[in-house]
Amino acid sequence: MDRTSISRRIGSIKGDIEKLSNTLCAIEKTDIENYPDNYAMLTTDAALRSELIACRMRHLLYGSTATRKETYLASAGVVQGIRIKAQENMLEITLPCLLPKRKQRQSTEFLIDPLYFTLSQYSDNNELPKFRQCVVCFSHIYSEKFHNRRVRDYDNLELKQLLDVLSTFIMVDDTGLLVDAYNTTEIGEADCTRISVMAKEDFPKWLNEREKSLKTISDF
């Protein structure tokens, strides 16, 4: 990448950072009690712009240095706080945020790429279960610090790309004939998404145990 292209990209990123700064100032001045919808809109805009900035910085890094994409994204997974726990008949992944909506391409890229390379690195040193028939449960956990009106429906969430990543490592096939997907909503200490993959015969027991331990669970 030549110097002119680098400068052009840096200029675009600086413009986004300035817009982010202005939005943060607006958030700081917004009365969350009296104008919760405005606060939510501004906060969402700031979060998405932050992810856009991160993705553009990644592309600048890949295009202008010798840094390997897989090396960087494995580090990004660590920084983001992606956690993986594998047991004999279950895989549990914790993502540090709620899932983005469909069509938010940059937001999806921000999360999916580090997840793929984190799983790849994990599988190099740990044995992962391999499922022919399984259930994938998405637990959408909302911070107890904020109003419950933030809770969204599941229709527009980006689940397909996550399933594609998971199938690469732990599924024989991700066809609907072999894989069932369930969604639950919980209230917790912080926003995050927990993905639990298990054999179909283990799902009723898992769900029963979760319902006993969580008063805020809703399953669909």
Side-chain angles (χ1 to χ4, degrees):
M1 185 183 298
D2 58 45
R3 186 70 242 184
T4 300
S5 298
I6 292 174
S7 297
R8 187 184 305 115
R9 291 197 180 192
I10 291 175
S12 177
I13 293 169
K14 288 170 67 177
D16 282 322
I17 292 174
E18 183 177 356
K19 292 176 182 177
L20 174 60
S21 178
N22 292 336
T23 304
L24 289 174
C25 289
I27 292 172
E28 194 172 28
K29 296 176 182 178
T30 300
D31 187 336
I32 189 173
E33 296 295 333
N34 294 321
Y35 303 100
D37 291 339
N38 288 352
Y39 180 87
M41 180 185 67
L42 288 168
T43 305
T44 299
D45 179 75
L48 291 175
R49 192 169 298 280
S50 298
E51 292 172 2
L52 175 64
I53 292 169
C55 290
R56 287 184 172 175
M57 280 301 306
R58 288 178 189 172
H59 295 162
L60 178 61
L61 176 69
Y62 306 150
S64 61
T65 74
T67 302
R68 293 171 60 87
K69 181 177 180 179
E70 56 267 33
T71 301
Y72 171 79
L73 289 174
S75 299
V78 174
V79 171
Q80 287 183 4
I82 295 175
R83 301 194 303 274
I84 300 173
K85 180 181 178 182
Q87 301 175 6
E88 183 178 356
N89 296 314
M90 179 181 292
L91 178 70
E92 185 176 278
I93 300 171
T94 302
L95 304 177
C97 59
L98 297 168
L99 296 183
K101 293 183 178 181
R102 293 173 188 160
K103 299 182 180 179
Q104 292 176 352
R105 188 183 67 82
Q106 295 287 359
S107 185
T108 303
E109 178 187 351
F110 176 79
L111 187 63
I112 296 297
D113 284 357
L115 173 60
Y116 179 91
F117 286 101
T118 300
L119 267 171
S120 178
Q121 188 176 63
Y122 185 90
S123 66
D124 288 340
N125 302 298
N126 301 271
E127 185 176 354
L128 292 174
K130 196 75 172 181
F131 299 101
R132 174 170 174 76
Q133 294 187 335
C134 64
V135 177
V136 182
C137 185
F138 296 93
S139 299
H140 309 276
I141 303 172
Y142 291 80
S143 172
E144 61 190 1
K145 300 175 184 177
F146 301 104
H147 201 284
N148 288 349
R149 73 180 66 189
R150 299 170 59 237
V151 176
R152 304 168 293 175
D153 59 42
Y154 304 126
D155 293 343
N156 294 318
L157 298 182
E158 184 52 75
L159 305 180
K160 179 62 171 64
Q161 290 193 44
L162 278 171
L163 285 172
D164 288 343
V165 171
L166 293 173
S167 68
T168 301
F169 294 95
I170 62 172
M171 298 177 192
V172 174
D173 196 326
D174 64 351
T175 174
L177 295 174
L178 301 176
V179 179
D180 292 335
Y182 285 82
N183 290 278
T184 72
T185 294
E186 304 170 17
I187 304 300
E189 294 182 358
D191 287 352
C192 65
T193 303
R194 186 170 296 117
I195 306 168
S196 304
V197 187
M198 67 207 76
K200 286 189 177 184
E201 59 268 23
D202 294 330
F203 177 68
K205 179 181 178 182
W206 177 90
L207 184 59
N208 183 55
E209 291 177 351
R210 296 290 288 176
E211 288 178 331
K212 287 180 179 178
S213 63
L214 296 169
K215 295 181 180 179
T216 54
I217 192 170
S218 61
D219 59 284
F220 297 86

